[in-house]
Amino acid sequence: MQMAVNQLFRDRNGVLLRIVHINKVTSMVYVIEVGKNQFPQPMTFEELQVLAEGRGLQIVEEDNLVRLDSDEELSDVQREKRDFAWEVVQYFFQKVEGEEYAFVPRYRQEAIKQTCEAFRISYNTVKTYLVRYWSGGGVKNGVLPRFANCGAPGQDKKVGDKKRGRPRIRDGNQGVNVDDKMKKAIRAGLNKHYYSQRQNSLRVAYELTLRDYFSTRQVRDDGTTYPVLLESIPSYAQFLYWARKWNDPKREIMTRHGARAYQQGSRTIVGHATMDADLGCADLWEIDSTVLDVWLVSSLNSNVVCGRPRLILCTDVFSRKIMGFSLTYESLNAYSSAMLALAMSMTSKVAFCAQLGINITDEDWDYCVPNRILADRGELIGTHIENAVEQLGITIQNSPPYRADLKGVIEQMFNQIHLKIKPFADGVVVKGNRPRERGEVDYRLRGNLTLESMNQIILKLIIFHNKHHVLDDYPLDASMIEEGVEKIPIKLWEHGLKHKKGQLRRLPPDTVRMALYPSDQATVGSRGISFRGLLYASQYTLSQGWFQRARAKGSWKVKVSYNPMDMTHIYIRDEDGLGVHKLTLLEHLQQYRMKSEQEVEQIQALERERTNQSKERELQEKIKLFAEIDSIVQDARAKTEAERDTTISKTKRLSGIKENQRRERELEREKMRDNPKVEDVPSILTFHDDDGDDLELFRTVQERNWGGLDGE
């Protein structure tokens, strides 16, 4: 058994024992029981070993009984009493010949007697100081007065006839002592009226408690009843005292404001988010969305207000690096927006940034497929994500509803983005209940940013965050501190790739898109693969002769994946199911490039509407045409009937048709020789839009040259 001076032991009943002196020559050890006002007891090493085995003594590693308070932390009374007790103890040890003599009753009694005479104190006082000294580890602060033990802490005062507490000055009523019956009524009143969703104040809860438990019912002359307070009632101060004494902050918040309010704002926080991503980079991602506090305008017409876009971020928990984003007008919890953010996070972003005029490399903004994604029961719940889970090997975790505090990493990023946008952007949301001043412009009408320009801003903010933002509260581990890793997301990412257990996992971009994008059926026809009213083709489909086969044998269905935000390409698997092929819009449909599914539907609907309107006008004009043709036919029929010679036989009328055609040709040629050419007429006439006589001049020339419109 290990033994040392001041070694502290605890038995199975919780009793503490301390070794105060060891004599290796005589094999004697002196042990004092902490908490009892008794002198140390001598025993041999063997007796201590037997005691340890019998009482199950265990060594106490943390000795909390040794007081290490500094003088600044002590009150004047504590320092004064400690210094006096220390002086008494030191005087006592001067009166014994050696330290071990203090444990021998014969020598100890004589030294205590001399000490009492010197300081004019009692025997019990000296004994108390000595016991405190040995129990407290033999240090000066061990003889501090035990003020914390005064007043029977934790024990209620006995109820008697005399009123406890300070007498009342302004009220003649001296009040009552709160007995067990009153305590029961006060507790019942608190449970009923204070710890409830009504959120009554303590004053209201006190008054309702008096009504329910400290009143009687009196009957009026008309038979109705009313409450009358009893003579002995607790005061509000007494009610408040017991309410505070019994109050549990956790229970108060949960019963008055709900468990969610406690979990979000009052629960104990003893860890940090990085603990969940223990394997390193790409072990855990967080994804969430928010509505930006900026109103945007249309890219086609700045007078058209489009509203506030929805921003979705995907971030790596270990490094705090933003892996991807999407900015759309999609509705709340729309999978298409989350799909775009995930697809960007798992594929190269060089081409996307180049479209917005920003040049980066894959080293500047890495990409990979994560092991886990933490969402909030919004975008990633449903059948849409099942395909991605199966094909990409991702585990989806969902936090409880309305618990944004469980995704504090990404929520703080949303806050940082808003803080950097609001000082500069127009159309920023003005929050609060302040009424708009008379003549003040509505902040929604101040917007001037389009979705594309906001994409550029968000992209620059993300690049700044990844490469330059300092994470003040990031907990660096020992290896990071040793290597001098900066608290910057990209530096943490690089360190994680080099030293952590997690490894980046990448898949071909088309495979990622095929897994993430929603799927549907398309039709293979002779003109191409038809999907959403558009036609697609690829080198693979042409080489396989799909369109010739469809023309010869008929169309068939194939499964395709597509990006609802960009219908330029769709994706199919080859016939053996191993490869992924990208199909592109046909050349004559390039007007639909970079258009979303919704935009394509709107354009097609607009075309159909215009076509229907044109067909209505065509039908109206066709009816007019039919009427005009019928009128000409009727005139010709009437003229023919008037000039027809019934004496000529049918055979004679049908004979000589070719000769008749020849004479008509000669007649037409004769007319052309005698009259100027039609293309010569504008050369001899001058027309002015605002001159009404030009029409008469044209008719005069026409009659002169052609003999009138009827050829006479």
Side-chain angles (χ1 to χ4, degrees):
M1 179 179 180
Q2 181 182 359
M3 289 184 293
V5 176
N6 274 342
Q7 181 66 62
L8 195 64
F9 298 92
R10 177 183 285 110
D11 66 7
R12 61 174 61 94
N13 296 323
V15 177
L16 295 175
L17 301 175
R18 185 188 296 280
I19 297 177
V20 297
H21 184 74
I22 298 175
N23 190 334
K24 295 183 179 180
V25 177
T26 60
S27 299
M28 294 294 294
V29 60
Y30 297 90
V31 179
I32 188 172
E33 183 174 337
V34 178
K36 282 191 175 181
N37 194 21
Q38 295 179 354
F39 289 115
Q41 300 298 318
M43 62 183 66
T44 63
F45 290 172
E46 291 76 11
E47 290 174 341
L48 180 61
Q49 185 69 35
V50 172
L51 179 67
E53 294 176 356
R55 298 176 60 175
L57 297 183
Q58 298 290 333
I59 296 177
V60 178
E61 299 293 342
E62 296 184 3
D63 191 349
N64 297 322
L65 298 179
V66 178
R67 299 286 298 271
L68 301 176
D69 309 70
S70 63
D71 285 356
E72 291 77 9
E73 297 173 339
L74 302 176
S75 65
D76 295 339
V77 175
Q78 286 178 308
R79 287 196 299 270
E80 181 180 349
K81 289 184 176 294
R82 178 203 61 184
D83 294 342
F84 177 76
W86 181 251
E87 186 179 355
V88 171
V89 171
Q90 295 301 310
Y91 184 85
F92 167 81
F93 282 110
Q94 293 174 5
K95 296 302 178 181
V96 293
E97 297 182 4
E99 183 178 1
E100 192 170 359
Y101 285 90
F103 306 112
V104 180
R106 183 177 58 181
Y107 299 106
R108 183 176 59 219
Q109 293 296 99
E110 183 61 30
I112 291 177
K113 182 178 179 182
Q114 297 179 19
T115 304
C116 292
E117 294 175 353
F119 290 91
R120 297 181 180 276
I121 54 178
S122 67
Y123 173 88
N124 288 334
T125 301
V126 177
K127 178 182 178 181
T128 300
Y129 291 163
L130 291 174
V131 171
R132 286 182 186 175
Y133 170 78
W134 284 314
S135 299
V139 297
K140 186 175 182 179
N141 281 349
V143 296
L144 277 168
R146 307 301 196 258
F147 287 159
N149 298 332
C150 297
Q155 300 179 14
D156 294 339
K157 301 295 187 295
K158 294 182 180 180
V159 178
D161 295 334
K162 185 178 180 181
K163 174 67 174 67
R164 298 190 303 267
R166 185 183 61 183
R168 298 182 181 180
I169 299 176
R170 300 177 181 175
D171 189 358
N173 183 8
Q174 293 301 312
V176 296
N177 287 325
V178 177
D179 54 16
D180 292 340
K181 183 178 180 180
M182 285 188 179
K183 290 179 186 178
K184 185 177 180 180
I186 291 174
R187 189 184 292 274
L190 286 170
N191 293 335
K192 182 178 180 180
H193 300 297
Y194 184 71
Y195 296 111
S196 71
Q197 292 291 332
R198 295 183 180 273
Q199 300 182 17
N200 296 322
S201 65
L202 281 170
R203 172 67 72 173
V204 172
Y206 166 70
E207 294 167 351
L208 294 176
T209 301
L210 294 183
R211 181 202 65 182
D212 294 343
Y213 303 102
F214 296 95
S215 65
T216 59
R217 308 298 297 183
Q218 298 289 338
V219 181
R220 296 189 179 94
D221 296 338
D222 57 0
T224 60
T225 62
Y226 62 95
V228 176
L229 290 177
L230 300 175
E231 293 184 0
S232 299
I233 61 173
S235 66
Y236 175 67
Q238 291 173 318
F239 180 86
L240 190 61
Y241 169 81
W242 289 106
R244 290 173 176 172
K245 184 180 181 64
W246 293 331
N247 184 54
D248 180 5
K250 177 179 178 180
R251 180 193 177 201
E252 179 180 1
I253 297 173
M254 294 185 70
T255 55
R256 291 173 61 85
H257 304 282
R260 188 177 68 197
Y262 171 77
Q263 295 292 343
Q264 286 183 340
S266 302
R267 67 184 174 90
T268 302
I269 301 176
V270 295
H272 54 84
T274 314
M275 297 171 59
D276 297 330
D278 52 350
L279 292 181
C281 302
D283 178 46
L284 176 64
W285 286 2
E286 289 183 2
I287 186 171
D288 202 358
S289 65
T290 188
V291 178
L292 285 184
D293 291 340
V294 182
W295 286 73
L296 305 185
V297 298
S298 171
S299 58
L300 301 177
N301 186 351
S302 59
N303 293 316
V304 177
V305 179
C306 294
R308 298 160 59 187
R310 184 171 299 278
L311 173 65
I312 292 187
L313 292 181
C314 190
T315 181
D316 179 63
V317 174
F318 171 78
S319 64
R320 309 295 198 267
K321 184 179 180 181
I322 300 178
M323 304 302 299
F325 80 100
S326 68
L327 189 68
T328 65
Y329 288 117
E330 294 296 313
S331 59
L332 178 66
N333 296 336
Y335 170 72
S336 57
S337 299
M339 170 208 65
L340 290 179
L342 291 174
M344 175 187 286
S345 304
M346 301 180 196
T347 57
S348 175
K349 293 166 271 290
V350 175
F352 175 80
C353 294
Q355 293 177 359
L356 298 177
I358 300 175
N359 297 321
I360 65 168
T361 62
D362 288 334
E363 289 73 19
D364 296 331
W365 199 350
D366 215 337
Y367 63 93
C368 62
V369 178
N371 296 328
R372 298 175 293 151
I373 297 179
L374 177 62
D376 60 355
R377 305 181 61 83
E379 300 86 355
L380 301 188
I381 278 193
T383 58
H384 297 290
I385 197 61
E386 292 179 359
N387 193 28
V389 172
E390 294 176 359
Q391 298 190 34
L392 301 179
I394 301 173
T395 301
I396 302 299
Q397 300 175 344
N398 284 290
S399 62
Y402 308 106
R403 290 297 308 278
D405 56 303
L406 296 181
K407 300 195 308 303
V409 172
I410 199 167
E411 294 294 342
Q412 185 57 230
M413 291 180 181
F414 285 137
N415 182 45
Q416 291 297 322
I417 286 176
H418 277 118
L419 290 177
K420 292 179 176 65
I421 291 179
K422 287 184 177 182
F424 308 101
D426 297 326
V428 173
V429 174
V430 178
K431 295 184 178 181
N433 298 323
R434 180 185 67 84
R436 191 164 64 246
E437 298 292 339
R438 187 174 183 180
E440 182 181 355
V441 179
D442 191 338
Y443 62 82
R444 294 173 293 182
L445 301 177
R446 296 179 181 270
N448 49 34
L449 293 172
T450 63
L451 192 65
E452 181 179 359
S453 57
M454 183 55 72
N455 264 303
Q456 292 176 326
I457 293 175
I458 296 297
L459 187 57
K460 289 183 178 293
L461 287 174
I462 291 176
I463 293 176
F464 169 82
H465 171 86
N466 289 345
K467 299 180 69 173
H468 304 290
H469 180 62
V470 179
L471 306 168
D472 292 334
D473 299 329
Y474 189 90
L476 296 176
D477 59 23
S479 62
M480 294 177 180
I481 297 174
E482 182 179 353
E483 294 193 6
V485 178
E486 298 180 72
K487 295 183 179 181
I488 297 175
I490 194 170
K491 301 296 183 182
L492 297 171
W493 177 272
E494 294 171 354
H495 175 83
L497 293 181
K498 186 182 300 184
H499 298 283
K500 290 295 181 177
K501 292 182 288 186
Q503 297 294 328
L504 294 190
R505 184 165 56 97
R506 290 180 177 175
L507 294 174
D510 290 343
T511 302
V512 173
R513 297 186 182 102
M514 189 79 178
L516 288 175
Y517 290 169
S519 58
D520 206 343
Q521 296 289 328
T523 303
V524 181
S526 59
R527 300 174 57 197
I529 296 180
S530 176
F531 182 71
R532 298 291 192 266
L534 304 176
L535 296 174
Y536 297 86
S538 69
Q539 189 64 37
Y540 171 78
T541 58
L542 293 173
S543 63
Q544 295 296 316
W546 282 16
F547 308 135
Q548 293 88 338
R549 196 193 318 170
R551 188 170 187 179
K553 299 183 179 181
S555 61
W556 70 90
K557 300 289 186 179
V558 293
K559 185 177 180 180
V560 300
S561 296
Y562 66 99
N563 179 3
M565 307 307 298
D566 184 3
M567 299 295 289
T568 306
H569 305 286
I570 61 175
Y571 302 86
I572 63 170
R573 293 193 180 276
D574 53 22
E575 294 179 337
D576 57 10
L578 299 177
V580 178
H581 301 280
K582 181 167 65 175
L583 280 65
T584 307
L585 271 173
L586 296 183
E587 190 66 30
H588 66 279
L589 297 175
Q590 293 303 303
Q591 65 270 24
Y592 295 104
R593 283 182 58 85
M594 307 296 293
K595 297 293 190 297
S596 66
E597 181 181 14
Q598 185 178 8
E599 290 174 320
V600 170
E601 292 176 354
Q602 291 176 348
I603 294 174
Q604 292 175 341
L606 180 60
E607 289 181 353
R608 288 193 297 268
E609 182 181 357
R610 290 177 176 174
T611 301
N612 292 335
Q613 293 175 354
S614 299
K615 286 185 176 181
E616 291 179 1
R617 290 193 297 269
E618 178 191 16
L619 181 61
Q620 182 65 36
E621 295 299 325
K622 188 180 289 186
I623 293 174
K624 291 172 60 178
L625 174 63
F626 290 163
E628 292 173 354
I629 294 175
D630 185 63
S631 176
I632 294 173
V633 171
Q634 293 294 339
D635 291 344
R637 184 180 297 147
K639 182 177 181 181
T640 302
E641 292 294 334
E643 296 179 355
R644 177 174 295 176
D645 187 354
T646 58
T647 60
I648 302 175
S649 65
K650 295 179 181 179
T651 303
K652 187 175 181 179
R653 288 184 63 194
L654 295 175
S655 63
I657 291 178
K658 290 186 177 181
E659 182 62 24
N660 294 338
Q661 287 181 355
R662 184 187 63 77
R663 285 199 299 268
E664 286 295 324
R665 283 198 303 270
E666 291 295 332
L667 180 60
E668 291 297 326
R669 291 170 182 171
E670 186 66 25
K671 289 181 180 180
M672 294 299 294
R673 285 194 297 269
D674 294 341
N675 297 313
K677 297 180 179 180
V678 176
E679 54 266 24
D680 293 338
V681 173
S683 63
I684 62 176
L685 294 174
T686 302
F687 294 93
H688 302 280
D689 294 338
D690 56 349
D691 192 351
D693 297 332
D694 288 342
L695 183 58
E696 292 296 326
L697 177 61
F698 175 78
R699 290 174 177 170
T700 302
V701 175
Q702 191 178 36
E703 291 175 358
R704 183 186 65 190
N705 293 316
W706 282 285
L709 296 177
D710 55 0
E712 296 180 356

